[in-house]
Coordinates of all heavy atoms in Angstrom, one line a residue:
L27 N 102.3 -91.6 133.8 CA 102.0 -92.9 134.4 C 103.3 -93.6 134.7 O 103.5 -94.3 135.8 CB 101.1 -93.7 133.5 CG 100.9 -95.2 133.9 CD1 100.2 -95.2 135.2 CD2 100.2 -95.9 132.9
L28 N 104.3 -93.5 133.8 CA 105.6 -94.3 134.0 C 106.3 -93.7 135.2 O 107.0 -94.5 135.9 CB 106.4 -94.2 132.8 CG 105.8 -94.9 131.5 CD1 106.8 -94.7 130.4 CD2 105.5 -96.3 131.8
I31 N 104.7 -95.4 138.2 CA 105.1 -96.8 138.3 C 106.5 -96.9 138.9 O 106.8 -97.7 139.8 CB 105.0 -97.5 137.0 CG1 103.5 -97.6 136.6 CG2 105.6 -98.8 137.0 CD1 103.3 -98.1 135.1
D32 N 107.4 -96.1 138.4 CA 108.8 -96.1 138.8 C 108.9 -95.8 140.3 O 109.8 -96.3 141.0 CB 109.6 -95.1 138.0 CG 111.1 -95.3 138.2 OD1 111.6 -96.5 138.3 OD2 111.8 -94.3 138.4
F34 N 106.8 -96.6 142.7 CA 106.3 -97.7 143.6 C 106.9 -99.1 143.3 O 106.8 -99.9 144.1 CB 104.8 -97.7 143.5 CG 104.1 -96.5 144.0 CD1 103.6 -95.5 143.2 CD2 104.1 -96.3 145.4 CE1 103.0 -94.4 143.7 CE2 103.5 -95.1 145.9 CZ 103.0 -94.2 145.1
V35 N 107.4 -99.3 142.1 CA 107.9 -100.6 141.7 C 109.4 -100.6 141.9 O 110.2 -99.9 141.3 CB 107.6 -100.9 140.3 CG1 108.1 -102.3 139.9 CG2 106.1 -101.0 140.1
D36 N 109.9 -101.5 142.8 CA 111.3 -101.6 143.1 C 111.8 -103.0 142.6 O 111.4 -104.0 143.1 CB 111.6 -101.5 144.6 CG 113.0 -101.7 144.9 OD1 113.9 -101.4 144.1 OD2 113.4 -102.1 146.1
L37 N 112.6 -102.9 141.5 CA 113.0 -104.2 140.9 C 114.5 -104.4 141.1 O 115.2 -105.1 140.4 CB 112.8 -104.1 139.4 CG 111.3 -104.0 139.0 CD1 111.1 -103.8 137.5 CD2 110.5 -105.3 139.4
P58 N 117.4 -108.7 133.2 CA 116.1 -109.1 133.7 C 115.2 -107.9 134.2 O 114.0 -107.9 134.0 CB 116.4 -110.1 134.8 CG 117.8 -110.1 135.0 CD 118.5 -109.3 133.9
E59 N 115.9 -106.9 134.8 CA 115.1 -105.7 135.3 C 114.5 -105.0 134.1 O 113.4 -104.6 134.2 CB 116.0 -104.8 136.1 CG 115.3 -103.6 136.7 CD 116.2 -102.7 137.5 OE1 117.3 -103.1 137.9 OE2 115.8 -101.6 137.8
L60 N 115.3 -104.8 133.1 CA 114.8 -104.1 131.9 C 113.7 -104.9 131.3 O 112.7 -104.3 130.8 CB 115.9 -103.9 130.9 CG 115.6 -103.3 129.6 CD1 115.0 -101.9 129.8 CD2 116.8 -103.3 128.6
L61 N 113.8 -106.2 131.2 CA 112.7 -107.0 130.6 C 111.4 -106.9 131.4 O 110.4 -106.8 130.8 CB 113.2 -108.5 130.6 CG 112.3 -109.5 129.8 CD1 112.2 -109.1 128.3 CD2 112.9 -110.9 129.9
I62 N 111.5 -107.0 132.7 CA 110.3 -106.8 133.5 C 109.7 -105.4 133.3 O 108.5 -105.3 133.2 CB 110.6 -107.1 135.0 CG1 111.1 -108.5 135.2 CG2 109.4 -106.8 135.9 CD1 110.2 -109.6 134.9
R63 N 110.5 -104.4 133.3 CA 110.0 -103.0 133.0 C 109.3 -102.9 131.7 O 108.3 -102.3 131.5 CB 111.1 -102.0 133.1 CG 111.6 -101.8 134.5 CD 112.7 -100.7 134.6 NE 113.2 -100.5 135.9 CZ 112.6 -99.8 136.8 NH1 111.5 -99.1 136.5 NH2 113.1 -99.7 138.1
M64 N 109.9 -103.6 130.6 CA 109.3 -103.6 129.3 C 107.9 -104.3 129.3 O 107.0 -103.8 128.7 CB 110.2 -104.2 128.3 CG 111.4 -103.4 128.0 SD 112.4 -104.0 126.6 CE 112.7 -105.7 126.9
L65 N 107.8 -105.4 130.1 CA 106.5 -106.1 130.2 C 105.5 -105.2 130.9 O 104.3 -105.2 130.5 CB 106.7 -107.4 131.0 CG 107.5 -108.5 130.2 CD1 107.8 -109.6 131.1 CD2 106.7 -109.0 129.0
I66 N 105.9 -104.5 132.0 CA 105.0 -103.6 132.7 C 104.5 -102.5 131.8 O 103.3 -102.2 131.7 CB 105.6 -103.1 134.0 CG1 105.9 -104.2 135.0 CG2 104.8 -102.0 134.6 CD1 106.7 -103.8 136.2
V67 N 105.4 -101.9 131.1 CA 105.0 -100.8 130.1 C 104.1 -101.3 129.0 O 103.1 -100.7 128.7 CB 106.3 -100.1 129.5 CG1 105.9 -99.2 128.4 CG2 107.0 -99.4 130.6
G68 N 104.4 -102.5 128.5 CA 103.6 -103.1 127.5 C 102.2 -103.3 128.0 O 101.2 -103.1 127.3
Y69 N 102.1 -103.8 129.2 CA 100.8 -104.1 129.8 C 100.0 -102.8 130.0 O 98.8 -102.7 129.7 CB 100.9 -104.9 131.1 CG 99.6 -105.1 131.8 CD1 98.8 -106.2 131.3 CD2 99.2 -104.4 132.9 CE1 97.6 -106.4 132.0 CE2 98.0 -104.6 133.5 CZ 97.2 -105.6 133.1 OH 96.0 -105.8 133.7
C70 N 100.6 -101.8 130.6 CA 99.9 -100.6 130.9 C 99.5 -99.8 129.6 O 98.4 -99.1 129.7 CB 100.9 -99.7 131.7 SG 101.2 -100.3 133.4
F71 N 100.2 -99.9 128.5 CA 99.9 -99.1 127.3 C 99.3 -100.0 126.2 O 99.1 -99.5 125.1 CB 101.1 -98.4 126.8 CG 101.5 -97.3 127.7 CD1 102.6 -97.4 128.5 CD2 100.8 -96.1 127.6 CE1 103.0 -96.3 129.3 CE2 101.2 -95.0 128.4 CZ 102.3 -95.2 129.3
G72 N 99.0 -101.3 126.5 CA 98.4 -102.2 125.6 C 99.2 -102.5 124.4 O 98.7 -102.7 123.3
I73 N 100.6 -102.6 124.6 CA 101.5 -102.9 123.5 C 101.7 -104.4 123.5 O 102.0 -105.0 124.5 CB 102.9 -102.2 123.8 CG1 102.7 -100.7 123.8 CG2 103.8 -102.6 122.7 CD1 103.9 -100.0 124.3

Side-chain angles (χ1 to χ4, degrees):
L27 174 64
L28 295 180
I31 291 172
D32 191 45
F34 294 107
V35 176
D36 179 26
L37 297 174
E59 181 179 346
L60 176 62
L61 188 60
I62 299 297
R63 287 183 182 277
M64 289 189 309
L65 289 170
I66 292 171
V67 169
Y69 177 77
C70 291
F71 289 102
I73 301 170

